[in-house]
Amino acid sequence: LVHRTCVAYEKVLVNLLNRAKYLIKNGQQVFASPALLYFLTNDVDKFWFDTHPETLTYYGELDDSDIWSAMKAWKHHDDKILSTLATDMLDRKIFKVEVLEEEPTPERIDELKQMIAQKMDISYDDAHYLMSLNTIQKDMYNVDDDSIAILYKNGEIKDISEASELLNVQLLSKKIRKYYLCYQRFE
């Protein structure tokens, strides 16, 4: 479905930006370029974009160099969570990822949060910045949305479900759901 390395990098980056935003909202100084700072200090959504014309200008100025330079500064920030996540990204020490068939139990999530809080010497409530749970669902083949047509030599066109006795459309249309449990490595 999705490569676990991509999921891990994405989750570290999202949690890093969320932590920076949280710190700024709570009065802490966090280095950022003007464009990045704009998005960290404001709750930008569709309504915000529609009512604040400067948002598009800031968005156009934002690129990966804003993120990389911020991470280099955040690596040395006093906040342990922000500095850990920035260091993890820069040093390519991303979250460990478990791909699960079943959703992890609340007890498993609680156990991970407690372990992270203890090992990082942070509060249980802040441990969520060092973990993530996501569900990814994919339809292999949706008869209503997807169409694979077979063109025969005689010019006749048939849907693949009609054309092949080998293909089981019910099997192809099965939904695949995976749970990606990502969390801080302690190795």
Side-chain angles (χ1 to χ4, degrees):
L1 276 172
V2 177
H3 198 281
R4 64 180 66 214
T5 302
C6 294
V7 171
Y9 273 115
E10 176 186 340
K11 295 311 159 194
V12 172
L13 181 59
V14 167
N15 287 5
L16 173 68
L17 293 170
N18 283 334
R19 183 61 178 187
K21 188 173 189 98
Y22 169 82
L23 293 173
I24 289 170
K25 294 255 183 208
N26 285 281
Q28 289 203 34
Q29 291 289 327
V30 175
F31 170 82
S33 68
L36 180 56
L37 191 59
Y38 181 85
F39 288 94
L40 292 174
T41 56
N42 296 296
D43 293 321
V44 178
D45 59 10
K46 183 182 179 335
F47 178 76
W48 186 275
F49 255 102
D50 292 344
T51 57
H52 295 81
E54 76 280 3
T55 306
L56 188 57
T57 302
Y58 281 115
Y59 182 76
E61 293 174 3
L62 191 62
D63 65 22
D64 57 339
S65 64
D66 295 281
I67 305 296
W68 282 108
S69 60
M71 285 190 300
K72 288 180 178 185
W74 296 348
K75 182 177 182 172
H76 305 288
H77 197 277
D78 290 341
D79 181 75
K80 187 182 292 190
I81 295 168
L82 188 69
S83 65
T84 297
L85 291 169
T87 300
D88 287 353
M89 280 295 286
L90 293 168
D91 294 349
R92 294 174 174 82
K93 183 184 168 202
I94 55 175
F95 286 165
K96 179 178 175 94
V97 178
E98 293 179 17
V99 181
L100 309 167
E101 301 292 326
E102 300 290 325
E103 185 172 8
T105 65
E107 294 80 19
R108 171 77 170 124
I109 301 296
D110 181 61
E111 174 187 300
L112 269 175
K113 283 179 85 172
Q114 287 182 28
M115 188 248 328
I116 290 167
Q118 179 191 12
K119 289 195 179 232
M120 291 289 299
D121 193 27
I122 60 173
S123 75
Y124 176 86
D125 291 338
D126 283 343
H128 76 276
Y129 287 105
L130 297 164
M131 63 183 300
S132 177
L133 175 63
N134 292 85
T135 306
I136 297 177
Q137 183 172 308
K138 174 70 178 140
D139 295 333
M140 291 289 287
Y141 176 76
N142 186 328
V143 179
D144 299 325
D145 292 341
D146 301 324
S147 179
I148 301 173
I150 305 293
L151 174 62
Y152 288 89
K153 289 181 183 179
N154 67 3
E156 185 181 3
I157 297 174
K158 286 187 180 179
D159 187 85
I160 194 166
S161 61
E162 300 169 8
S164 175
E165 296 171 7
L166 299 174
L167 293 174
N168 181 337
V169 174
Q170 285 188 327
L171 182 63
L172 283 176
S173 62
K174 179 182 172 189
K175 289 187 186 307
I176 296 175
R177 178 178 290 150
K178 301 282 184 184
Y179 298 90
Y180 288 77
L181 179 59
C182 310
Y183 53 91
Q184 182 68 30
R185 293 180 185 270
F186 296 102
E187 299 158 359

